[in-house]
Amino acid sequence: MERYNFREAETAWQGVWRDRRSFATVTDPSKPKYYVLEMFPYPSGKLHVGHVRNYTMGDVIARFMRAKGFNVLHPMGWDAFGLPAENAAIASGGHPADWTYANIATMRAQLKLIGLTYDWDREIATCHPEYYRHEQKMFLDFLRAGLAYRKESWVNWDPVENTVLANEQVIDGRGWRSGAPVERRLLSQWFLRITDFADELIAGIEKLDRWPERVRLMQAKWIGRSEGARVFFRLGGPDVAPGEKLEVFTTRPDTLFGASFCALSPNHPVAQRLAARDPAAAAFIAECGRLGTSEATIEAAEKLGYRTDLVARHPLDPAWELPVYIANFVLMEYGAGAIFGCPAHDQRDLDFARKYGLPVKQVVRPAVEHDGAAPEIGDEAFVSTDGIIINSDFLNGLSVAEAKRLATARLTELEAGFTTVQYRMRDWGVSRQRYWGCPIPVIHCPDCGIVPVPEADLPVRLPDDVSFDQPSNPLERHPTWKHVACPSCGGGATRETDTFDTFFESSWYFARFCSPRSSQAFEPRDVQYFLPVDQYIGGIEHAILHLLYARFFVRALKKCGYLDLEEPFAGLFTQGMVCHASYQDVNGQWLFPEQVRDAESDHPTDEQGRPVTVGRVEKMSKSRKNVVGLDEIVESFGADTARLFLLSDSPPERDLEWTASGIEGTWRYVNRLFRLVTERLALLGPIGAAPASPVDGAALETRRVVHRTVAAVTEDLEHFRFNRAIARIRELSNHLESVPAQSPSGLDGSIQREALETIVKLIGPMMPHLAEELWRHLGHTELLVDQPWPAADPALLRDESVTVAIQVNGKMRDTIDLPRDCPEDDARAAALRSANVIRMLEGRPVRKVIVVPNRIINVVA
């Protein structure tokens, strides 16, 4: 039996597609468009099979939609700035650019190995000056529009990577890349006003009906819209200015009469002022700085406070004084960096009050009382808002909602507060203290202040001659690049040495793909045609960081006249991870899978025959070496085998376990398909010939199976059910293998051709090289990739028979199988022959028989 020569076939067909520019895309408003995009990768080195799953999914959709007649845009590029390149340069003594471009070349070659439909003419790299000069102009336009600004603020500082991190990049108090505990520092930073679009971003979530619900909920929670009140407590104590007030945001003004303390963030200006004269306060604040910065870490930590010598006067009763604490659980980034504590109705406040012996006064009782009294507050706060106000002066007897309105009205009347909306999301800090990033295009002049770089001088390029012999930002130490004449006055000035957060580049790259060689960021005709992205594919880990920033960015660009777009991604799919068992030798060192013998047996060993410990199945990771190299798999089994296994072994939204037995089984199926077609070529009818008439028996059943498979696979691909689509194709191939190849019991040659051509078309998106090879074997000279998607014949999707219910005087008594659309007289006769009907009639004459074709027969007696 002939084996499929995948090496020869895959190389040949990739060359044909390249030479014919099969996947080049042009703007053509006369055709319907479809833009499919996988989140572009960071060029960190060689790809392994775990990287390839989402690219394969995108490729299946691109090929499928192309066959359905769409003008498909499917581009690829590189998210090429970032600290790993700097770290590699430090380790090797090389340059980040050399490391980055070498990795791009390696990964590009690997992606081409698996036959993806990328339009490589549109390739971009965010580290190229012709890319980042456009984002420098965008930033200057944001600056003019008031969407960018600079201020001194407390930031998350990664002491290993020596740079600022956004709140979203701090995971459990540690840097998202380095894993180092994050510190707090006060620095001057550049920000983008993402909060200006908070309401739009919240409202837009409702329209993203082709996004996973989980992602939509994560974004809504991160934005965190809260309605409440700003409340002012007058401060008293040493060094307090006359009339000085403490501002607090609260969502529960109805509980003001239950207040027992106020608390400041360690970074609050009042706390910092106290620390300057109180060493104990300064020591407490320093200890808070070591706690970490993430909300999860702070929430899990013990609630600690330092009692200051200040008091806060209650806004509704000036004679009522509350102690003021500095507390480790109060965030400067939320509200005004201060709270009032109501222990009876907030669990965090209750824990704090119990620790420091503060009063706990209940001011809300359940709406339905038990035994005529409110339950005691013990170790759990009563946090329900379904209650009645008590112990609260003029608010007594009101519902929580009514009390909120009345309390806020009284605060407004007393000029002690007002209604407001607060967001959990903060403005986006985009400054990073590193070299390998896009330079921020401003100049600092001692006389003129902040001066934008003139547009004619863009791009501000990174200098090549930098040194990484010290851990700080090389741009800050550069002897010449940093120093420049002020564009406004001509005097001596310095460049901004911070570079952009790399999420800046990835927030607009999808639009650049529409016209990647244009001298302007976007050609209006191109972006109006291709955007939004119809199907975006990537990991759930980007639900907040990248996806939220991109949604903000298109709104900011719209405000500045770049785009007329509300949302960047109409559809989103978040794929599962590819996992593999991990292995350790007798010394606890991690081993690559290829270093393990009999890996799937009960007694695996290393190359020296020593026992190996098998760890859990987890996400492929270079650090644990549980990766399977893409090059090795393509060399051993071919690209199509890898593609099919990645698509077929698990639903695409779930994790997939890569196993040697799994890929070997897939390879066997690839060869079965090859033989199924090539061994029947001599029996096939001419191309385009209609099946001989009449078609019945096994021939008719085969045609039904073929067309039902077409309908089912089409629906599965439309809904990202790749594994189900492949299962249906395997069922079809099993059916064709079960039918004898030769007459008299075999199929008509034209029916065999129809069946084999259909299965080849159906496997085209998943196994494109094998499909092209088999299409050629079937006698076709045109490319399969240019063929339309097969259409199911509706007549062949219908069952030959239907089950019809029989009623006697309106009550169901039996069911019978009838030929579909059988004549009414035949249906009546069949119903009257039913033994159950005869028994129920009990000899009574039949007055009428009502037939609802293919559904119900009602016998009236």
Side-chain angles (χ1 to χ4, degrees), residues 557-605:
L557 290 172
K558 181 178 182 180
K559 183 172 182 179
C560 293
Y562 283 84
L563 298 172
D564 185 15
L565 187 68
E566 295 295 334
E567 294 289 346
F569 314 118
L572 173 69
F573 187 84
T574 53
Q575 88 284 351
M577 297 180 293
V578 180
C579 303
H580 197 287
S582 55
Y583 307 104
Q584 288 177 287
D585 66 14
V586 291
N587 298 314
Q589 299 298 308
W590 299 108
L591 299 172
F592 287 107
E594 61 266 26
Q595 296 175 293
V596 180
R597 295 175 178 172
D598 302 317
E600 295 180 17
S601 72
D602 292 333
H603 302 287
T605 63

Side-chain angles (χ1 to χ4, degrees), residues 702-722:
T702 293
R703 293 202 74 209
R704 289 187 184 280
V705 172
V706 167
H707 285 261
R708 287 172 184 161
T709 304
V710 169
V713 169
T714 301
E715 183 180 5
D716 285 337
L717 293 185
E718 288 172 345
H719 294 89
F720 267 69
R721 298 192 292 256
F722 304 122

Side-chain angles (χ1 to χ4, degrees), residues 403-418:
K404 285 182 178 181
R405 288 191 291 270
L406 186 56
T408 306
R410 182 66 63 89
L411 289 169
T412 304
E413 179 184 329
L414 297 172
E415 297 184 350
F418 56 87

Side-chain angles (χ1 to χ4, degrees), residues 766-840:
M766 297 86 161
M767 296 184 284
H769 310 88
L770 175 63
E772 288 284 8
E773 185 72 8
L774 294 177
W775 192 246
R776 182 182 62 81
H777 275 291
L778 287 166
H780 295 277
T781 56
E782 70 279 11
L783 292 180
L784 175 65
V785 78
D786 294 327
Q787 300 307 300
W789 188 249
D793 184 343
L796 293 171
L797 302 181
R798 300 167 63 186
D799 291 325
E800 292 181 285
S801 64
V802 292
T803 300
V804 176
I806 306 176
Q807 297 178 341
V808 176
N809 293 331
K811 294 185 178 180
M812 183 172 161
R813 300 303 183 185
D814 202 358
T815 61
I816 57 173
D817 290 334
L818 295 174
R820 179 177 288 278
D821 299 327
C822 79
E824 288 195 17
D825 289 344
D826 293 347
R828 288 191 188 95
L832 294 176
R833 286 195 300 268
S834 164
N836 285 345
V837 171
I838 293 170
R839 187 175 66 254
M840 294 307 301

Side-chain angles (χ1 to χ4, degrees), residues 447-465:
D447 296 320
C448 306
I450 293 173
V451 182
V453 172
E455 190 174 327
D457 293 342
L458 300 181
V460 177
R461 294 173 180 260
L462 290 169
D464 293 327
D465 54 335

Side-chain angles (χ1 to χ4, degrees), residues 20 23 217 362 414 503 540 604 756:
R20 298 195 188 185
F23 309 121
L217 290 172
Q362 185 170 1
L414 297 172
F503 283 104
I540 190 70
L756 295 179

Side-chain angles (χ1 to χ4, degrees), residues 30 127 136 190 214 329 435 468 494 654 710 769 777 820:
S30 69
C127 64
Q136 289 177 340
W190 286 98
R214 180 183 175 191
F329 61 87
Y435 164 74
F468 294 96
T494 58
R654 298 182 188 171
V710 169
H769 310 88
H777 275 291
R820 179 177 288 278

